[in-house]
Amino acid sequence: MNIGQASTGSGVSAKMIRYYESIGLMPAAGRTQSGYRVYSDRDVHLLRFVRRARDLGFALEDIRLLLGLWQDDARPSAAVKDIALKHIGELTRKIAELQAMKRSLQHLAEACHGDARPDCPILDDLSGLDDAAGEAGSAACCR
Amino acid sequence: MNIGQASTGSGVSAKMIRYYESIGLMPAAGRTQSGYRVYSDRDVHLLRFVRRARDLGFALEDIRLLLGLWQDDARPSAAVKDIALKHIGELTRKIAELQAMKRSLQHLAEACHGDARPDCPILDDLSGLDDAAGEAGSAACCR
DNA sequence: TCTTGACCTTCCCATAATGGGAAGCCTTAT
DNA sequence: ATAAGGCTTCCCATTATGGGAAGGTCAAGA
């Protein structure tokens, strides 16, 4: 099958399939005499694996490890779980970071009239007017 | 003051200060005869503004708008609030996305023994064995 | 005055993962 | 035979940041 079919069948764009090959995440595909890449059902299966892992937010380097374990019948499941737990940790950290931003920003936005007048607690906070008064909207209160 | 002092005083690296100048986020700094950039307290204030906005997760293009509003005494606070609300929306979306990943992955990790044996629900899920049984750990159940 | 170390300059490269697009070859159906 | 659509490679862009090299500058001490 051609790269287009492999793409449709796996949900990975042809561009990305070539890229994964170029960085050695995928084995180099076979070629027709005219140079077209040729894929098997097994390749599509592998691509789907990569796509699912991407959907779970794994970095390509982690996926490289996961693929290695997947294809190793003697893998200890602990090795897989380690990678997953590490990733969960990263997700947790990132979520907390974004939530802190959101919280600060929400306080500021609530304090902002949002009308035609120019005074704006959001800009005041960004200006560093934390020092001014004890306004509840300061981002500093949430960091 | 030199770029090093401006960096220390603002918490923005010298590298980034030059970058912000190159993309027009900062006005071009004055120069000494020998070519060193020269900064004023006002510049440091501006840099601090940028840094705080970055800390809140604003993209540089949004910060460009915020800086424009900051320096416009006739700005309507609604314009600022719009930018903030839009960003809150993006944060909310991103947080939800990461949380969905985390939830799926946590289910899978809980179902994984994490020992020396090779069988692993995480790999099973990535392999597309959703089709197999009604395992609670499937990522599909959370998407 | 000379040296030395710390600081500055510009320029190029790298990151992570993805998409856009051009120029040109291949295949297939009409 | 010709057109359409698929494939190839190659280059560029994204976002924000850092690393590092090669070379100029400044300040302080010997």
Side-chain angles (χ1 to χ4, degrees):
Chain A
M1 120 186 55
N2 281 342
I3 199 170
Q5 272 109 45
S7 171
T8 305
S10 65
V12 178
S13 74
K15 217 74 195 247
M16 278 303 102
I17 296 176
R18 293 191 198 98
Y19 175 64
Y20 293 161
E21 178 181 326
S22 81
I23 63 170
L25 193 68
M26 292 276 300
R31 300 285 184 135
T32 65
Q33 285 202 319
S34 57
Y36 280 26
R37 286 176 180 79
V38 178
Y39 294 91
S40 66
D41 286 343
R42 221 193 139 281
D43 292 322
V44 172
H45 193 191
L46 201 152
L47 282 167
R48 253 196 282 241
F49 182 103
V50 175
R51 203 177 95 64
R52 283 176 205 251
R54 291 291 299 136
D55 286 347
L56 287 173
F58 284 104
L60 291 184
E61 284 315 303
D62 281 342
I63 295 176
R64 192 190 297 275
L65 301 177
L66 290 171
L67 280 174
L69 293 168
W70 185 39
Q71 282 152 353
D72 174 6
D73 286 341
R75 76 203 157 229
S77 62
V80 182
K81 192 167 182 176
D82 275 0
I83 295 175
L85 290 180
K86 199 192 86 214
H87 184 43
I88 289 174
E90 285 161 10
L91 288 169
T92 303
R93 196 185 37 69
K94 188 80 185 182
I95 289 167
E97 187 188 331
L98 297 181
Q99 279 175 335
M101 291 175 181
K102 180 177 168 182
R103 231 177 300 127
S104 299
L105 211 43
Q106 255 169 346
H107 287 156
L108 292 171
E110 276 162 25
C112 176
H113 299 302
D115 57 17
R117 285 170 294 169
D119 50 296
C120 174
I122 302 172
L123 291 181
D124 288 349
D125 180 84
L126 292 173
S127 302
L129 292 194
D130 301 9
D131 342 337
E135 1 71 69
S138 169
C141 80
C142 300
R143 283 194 216 109
Chain B
M1 116 185 60
N2 281 343
I3 198 170
Q5 271 109 46
S7 171
T8 305
S10 66
V12 178
S13 74
K15 219 68 197 250
M16 279 303 102
I17 296 176
R18 294 193 197 99
Y19 175 63
Y20 293 161
E21 177 181 327
S22 81
I23 64 171
L25 193 67
M26 292 277 298
R31 301 283 186 136
T32 65
Q33 285 203 318
S34 57
Y36 281 25
R37 286 177 180 80
V38 178
Y39 295 91
S40 66
D41 286 342
R42 220 194 139 282
D43 292 321
V44 173
H45 193 189
L46 202 151
L47 283 167
R48 250 196 285 240
F49 182 103
V50 174
R51 203 176 97 61
R52 282 176 207 251
R54 290 291 298 135
D55 286 347
L56 287 174
F58 284 104
L60 291 184
E61 283 315 303
D62 282 343
I63 295 175
R64 193 190 297 274
L65 301 177
L66 290 171
L67 280 174
L69 293 168
W70 185 39
Q71 282 153 353
D72 173 7
D73 286 340
R75 74 200 159 233
S77 62
V80 182
K81 192 167 181 174
D82 275 0
I83 296 175
L85 290 179
K86 199 191 86 213
H87 184 44
I88 289 174
E90 285 160 10
L91 288 170
T92 303
R93 196 184 38 69
K94 187 79 184 181
I95 288 167
E97 186 188 331
L98 297 182
Q99 279 174 334
M101 290 175 181
K102 181 177 167 182
R103 233 176 301 125
S104 299
L105 210 44
Q106 254 170 347
H107 288 156
L108 292 171
E110 276 162 25
C112 175
H113 299 302
D115 56 19
R117 285 171 293 170
D119 51 298
C120 174
I122 301 171
L123 291 181
D124 288 348
D125 180 82
L126 292 173
S127 301
L129 293 193
D130 301 10
D131 342 335
E135 0 70 70
S138 169
C141 78
C142 302
R143 281 195 217 109

